[in-house]
Amino acid sequence: MLIKVSIVEDDPATRENLMVIINRSADLTGMETYSSAEDAIRGVPKNLPDVLLVDINLGRRSGIECVAVLKAAHPKLQMMMVTTYDDTKLIFEALRAGASGYLLKRTPAADIVAAIKEVHEGGSPMSAQIARKVVSYFHPSRSPVSEMETLTPREHEILTLLAKGLQYKEIADHLDISTSTVRGHLHLIYGKLHVQSRTEAVLKYLGR
């Protein structure tokens, strides 16, 4: 059975290049491609691949948010980030959201194919540079990062509005996003802050 692979990438040239790499492999077959997180969230459930390759910078909604939404709805879907970003914060956000692997776009074609196969088999492939950052993050000499520092700018925005007493719909209207997106962000916020309710999150925010 060929491993079915779909792509979420807003750059047409990169999408085409990845698809060529996939279809040149005897073990892989390319499926749908999506140019935005919104398209992927709508389209992927209709024709689930075995592995989904996801860029981070996709415009209005990030690839990390795309992964979080799809992972919540389809826990068995294997997703791997393929991006130019090697920022430690983004790496961990992607992994927390549900990505099983993290490759840089400059990864050689043969290694991309091998990583797709590894993800499909339950592994967690990473570019060497990314793996080193992950190892460094857990090095004993590293100064601990506060929970608040793990929040993204958008999560800080939502938590600030939450602390002001706004309801989910009011937050959604204020930020021009859906209520379900607000709930998705709050789910990630609660996990990062190790709390289980709105009240606990606000108290931790105010006491930072």
Side-chain angles (χ1 to χ4, degrees):
M1 291 288 289
L2 295 176
I3 300 172
K4 298 180 292 184
V5 185
S6 287
I7 300 167
V8 189
E9 166 64 60
D10 63 346
D11 180 64
T14 301
R15 282 201 308 271
E16 182 178 351
N17 183 54
L18 286 172
M19 192 56 71
V20 168
I21 291 171
I22 290 164
N23 286 325
R24 280 180 178 170
S25 170
D27 300 314
L28 311 178
T29 182
M31 293 180 64
E32 287 73 21
T33 63
Y34 307 95
S35 61
S36 69
E38 292 86 349
D39 288 345
I41 290 169
R42 285 191 297 266
V44 168
K46 298 175 183 177
N47 200 0
L48 282 172
D50 297 311
V51 177
L52 184 66
L53 307 183
V54 187
D55 186 20
I56 286 182
N57 186 12
L58 294 173
R60 183 175 177 186
R61 299 179 78 171
S62 74
I64 293 174
E65 184 178 352
C66 177
V67 167
V69 172
L70 289 173
K71 195 67 174 181
H74 306 279
K76 293 183 179 180
L77 176 60
Q78 297 299 314
M79 290 174 280
M80 180 165 63
M81 312 311 293
V82 181
T83 180
T84 58
Y85 296 103
D86 62 356
D87 179 82
T88 302
K89 184 177 179 181
L90 292 176
I91 294 167
F92 280 94
E93 284 180 9
L95 297 177
R96 288 191 198 99
S100 296
Y102 198 110
L103 295 187
L104 296 176
K105 286 183 178 178
R106 60 177 177 268
T107 301
D111 292 343
I112 291 176
V113 170
I116 292 172
K117 294 178 184 178
E118 186 177 344
V119 165
H120 183 248
E121 292 169 1
S124 298
M126 296 182 190
S127 296
Q129 183 177 340
I130 301 303
R132 282 195 295 272
K133 284 181 176 288
V134 171
V135 171
S136 297
Y137 183 90
F138 291 105
H139 194 280
S141 64
R142 185 184 182 278
S143 299
V145 174
S146 74
E147 292 171 334
M148 284 298 168
E149 290 177 338
T150 67
L151 300 182
T152 66
R154 176 47 61 90
E155 288 166 352
H156 272 290
E157 278 187 295
I158 290 175
L159 193 51
T160 299
L161 294 173
L162 202 69
K164 291 180 178 178
L166 273 66
Q167 300 302 309
Y168 294 170
K169 186 177 186 310
E170 293 173 317
I171 294 174
D173 291 342
H174 184 82
L175 298 177
D176 193 25
I177 58 178
S178 68
T179 303
S180 61
T181 298
V182 172
R183 293 183 185 277
H185 279 300
L186 287 172
H187 176 75
L188 294 175
I189 290 170
Y190 291 173
K192 291 178 181 181
L193 299 185
H194 302 96
V195 299
Q196 296 185 16
S197 70
R198 171 190 182 125
T199 301
E200 290 179 358
V202 169
L203 286 174
K204 182 160 285 192
Y205 173 77
L206 295 176
R208 58 184 174 167

